[in-house]
Amino acid sequence: MAKSPMNVPQLVAVDAARAARVLSEVRDARLAGRPARVAPRPVIEESWERMLRSGVDPERGVRAGLLSEEEVRRRREESPLRDVLPVLREGLLSVADVAHHIMVVADEEGRVLWREGCSPVLRKADGLGFELGADWREDVVGTNGVGTPAVVRRPVQVFAAEHFVRSHATWTCAGAPITDPRNGRLLGVVDISGPLETMHPATLAWVDSVAKLAEARLREAHLGALERLRAVAAPVLARLGGRAAVVDGDGWTAAVTGMPYTSRIALPKSPSAGRRLLPGFGPCVMEPLAGGWLLRSVDRAAEPLPSGATRIVLDLTRARRWSVTVTGAAGSWSHELSPRHAELLYLLAVRRGGRSAAGLAEDMFGDSARTVTVRAEMSRVRRYLGGLLEHRPYRFCDTAEVEVLLPGDPRDLLPHSTAPAVAAARTSDSVR
């Protein structure tokens, strides 16, 4: 007769120490192939089965190498989770510190990017290898509150010997995945962890609620981005006849003309300018807009591709009012530039062959090691220039005509800038 799974939360609420002993017996019996008094919970048993198939050693956990400090900083800068850290901190940290827990936020690859909370518990976590930059994927360290929720895509609490690796049996954790509302992609996992005695049956619901609040904040940010794209789209669509739509980088619709509204249009995996055949939309020409794409419906047989390359004008003539203007077959749009983005686009415009992240770091800071900042800023630039910028190396796309409008006096070129390459250009006519 099949044994019923153990009700861990209920037993823990009554006697945490007894629950830990029972779970240890269940784990030992399962690993030895013997029947146990009670069955493990299904989510735990399924995880253990994956661990046995993948060859994780239950007696000796494997610790993958930590990410370097620079790589942790780079991933933090590029992770969408950085935008919801205030939500996670507000919802979890105040209680976590009092309850002797820590909050851990890992990216979609299970790498720990943020770790905050009770100082003594942080030191205990160090002993388990639960450190910044550590790899806590399930197939690396076994069943746990970071890796297992990422696999099953739902909140999971792992208590005591439910951890597959024996050295983690003094630990308890509850984690919930956070997904991107635009495309359903896993962004990472938020986890609350602590020593065995700190476990509470309500912890999982608490963590899950805060994770959902973070996803709601991401959804609000997405709606705001669509509103900004709609403002850019309005004058462009007003000049067009026929069917056209403006969508963001994931295909969510900001505005349409000449056709019924549809909430999303499927885009290619790697969108680029040119003629495309899109499901649900048909043959069209894709053109980059600030923060998205213009889709113009065309008759495949009757209408040729628009002639002429996309033109990009970088205007640096007005102090503190720098801008980039993109002109294509359907019209033009402009985007005002921050000081940092004005520097980056100027450097790429005068070096059309492209620059690596290290090269741009040398140009901007005189330090080729500062690639984290460069990559983060280039990621933000690509949000509005999209396919007009290539990478590896960073450069304007080959089909774009790029013009730089410079101030009359070379000494007025980006006067705020301390970038070595810009400072050199102020005293040279070679780049004008």
Side-chain angles (χ1 to χ4, degrees):
M1 182 175 177
K3 296 179 173 64
S4 299
M6 177 181 177
N7 190 326
V8 173
Q10 185 178 39
L11 183 54
V12 168
V14 176
D15 189 341
R18 177 170 170 262
R21 288 194 299 272
V22 172
L23 284 171
S24 182
E25 293 172 5
V26 170
R27 176 186 175 279
D28 290 345
R30 177 65 185 84
L31 294 178
R34 302 191 311 267
R37 287 190 292 163
V38 292
R41 293 185 293 143
V43 67
I44 299 300
E45 186 169 30
E46 290 163 7
S47 175
W48 287 356
E49 290 291 344
R50 290 192 295 272
M51 299 308 93
L52 291 169
R53 289 195 300 270
S54 63
V56 174
D57 188 339
E59 302 304 320
R60 284 193 193 107
V62 175
R63 294 190 187 181
L66 298 178
L67 298 177
S68 67
E69 289 184 8
E70 179 185 3
E71 179 63 12
V72 170
R73 287 196 300 270
R74 183 187 73 80
R75 291 191 182 212
R76 284 177 170 180
E77 287 286 344
E78 295 184 357
S79 173
L81 295 178
R82 69 194 294 269
D83 297 326
V84 295
L85 272 179
V87 175
L88 300 178
R89 286 174 173 141
E90 182 179 353
L92 297 173
L93 273 184
S94 60
V95 179
D97 199 38
V98 173
H100 302 290
H101 285 88
I102 59 172
M103 179 188 79
V104 174
V105 181
D107 65 13
E108 72 278 13
E109 295 180 357
R111 290 287 186 170
V112 177
L113 298 188
W114 290 275
R115 200 188 67 149
E116 304 172 25
C118 180
S119 297
V121 179
L122 287 170
R123 289 192 290 272
K124 290 182 180 180
D126 290 340
L128 296 173
F130 209 13
E131 306 169 76
L132 283 179
D135 186 346
W136 274 69
R137 286 174 296 170
E138 189 188 62
D139 59 359
V140 173
V141 297
T143 308
N144 71 89
V146 171
T148 302
V151 171
V152 301
R153 291 295 193 95
R154 60 186 175 88
V156 177
Q157 190 162 35
V158 183
F159 177 68
E162 288 184 325
H163 289 88
F164 187 74
V165 175
R166 187 181 298 277
S167 60
H168 301 161
T170 60
W171 204 247
T172 178
C173 49
I178 298 176
T179 58
D180 191 328
R182 298 171 300 177
N183 50 30
R185 181 174 68 87
L186 177 70
L187 298 176
V189 173
V190 60
D191 167 90
I192 285 291
S193 291
L196 189 59
E197 61 273 12
T198 65
M199 194 271 189
H200 190 279
T203 303
L204 185 63
W206 170 41
V207 174
D208 184 34
S209 297
V210 175
K212 285 183 168 59
L213 284 176
E215 290 180 341
R217 183 64 55 86
L218 290 169
R219 194 171 296 110
E220 290 173 8
H222 179 223
L223 293 175
L226 282 178
E227 284 296 327
R228 292 189 293 273
L229 180 56
R230 192 168 292 121
V232 173
V236 174
L237 293 179
R239 294 191 292 266
L240 296 178
R243 296 171 65 244
V246 171
V247 299
D248 70 6
D250 293 291
W252 292 98
T253 305
V256 300
T257 186
M259 60 178 283
Y261 175 83
T262 181
S263 61
R264 193 176 186 186
I265 296 172
L267 298 183
K269 187 174 181 181
S270 300
S272 59
R275 192 168 208 160
R276 301 287 180 269
L277 179 62
L278 302 182
F281 191 84
C284 67
V285 173
M286 292 184 62
E287 297 180 46
L289 281 182
W293 294 92
L294 169 65
L295 312 179
R296 293 201 311 118
S297 179
V298 297
D299 185 314
R300 181 180 294 175
E303 186 174 345
L305 278 171
S307 60
T310 300
R311 188 163 179 262
I312 301 171
V313 177
L314 182 62
D315 187 349
L316 306 179
T317 59
R318 298 174 296 166
R320 298 282 172 177
R321 293 294 302 276
W322 311 290
S323 66
V324 60
T325 299
V326 178
T327 303
S332 65
W333 54 269
S334 296
H335 183 83
E336 193 165 312
L337 300 171
S338 68
R340 181 57 55 79
H341 289 187
E343 288 176 327
L344 281 168
L345 292 181
Y346 168 73
L347 293 170
L348 294 180
V350 298
R351 291 169 168 81
R352 286 304 303 275
R355 295 291 278 167
S356 66
L360 280 174
E362 182 70 33
D363 291 342
M364 293 183 65
F365 309 111
D367 180 0
S368 60
R370 294 188 61 178
T371 56
V372 171
T373 301
V374 166
R375 290 193 181 101
E377 291 297 340
M378 287 304 300
S379 176
R380 296 182 182 107
V381 172
R382 286 172 63 85
R383 290 177 189 171
Y384 53 86
L385 285 183
L388 294 174
L389 280 180
E390 305 286 352
H391 60 101
R392 297 182 183 174
Y394 292 114
R395 65 195 186 279
F396 286 101
C397 66
D398 295 337
T399 58
E401 296 177 356
V402 181
E403 181 182 2
V404 184
L405 303 181
L406 296 165
D409 188 334
R411 292 172 295 182
D412 293 331
L413 173 64
L414 301 175
H416 71 285
S417 177
T418 59
V422 175
R426 295 192 191 113
T427 60
S428 171
D429 291 330
S430 61
V431 297
R432 295 182 61 80

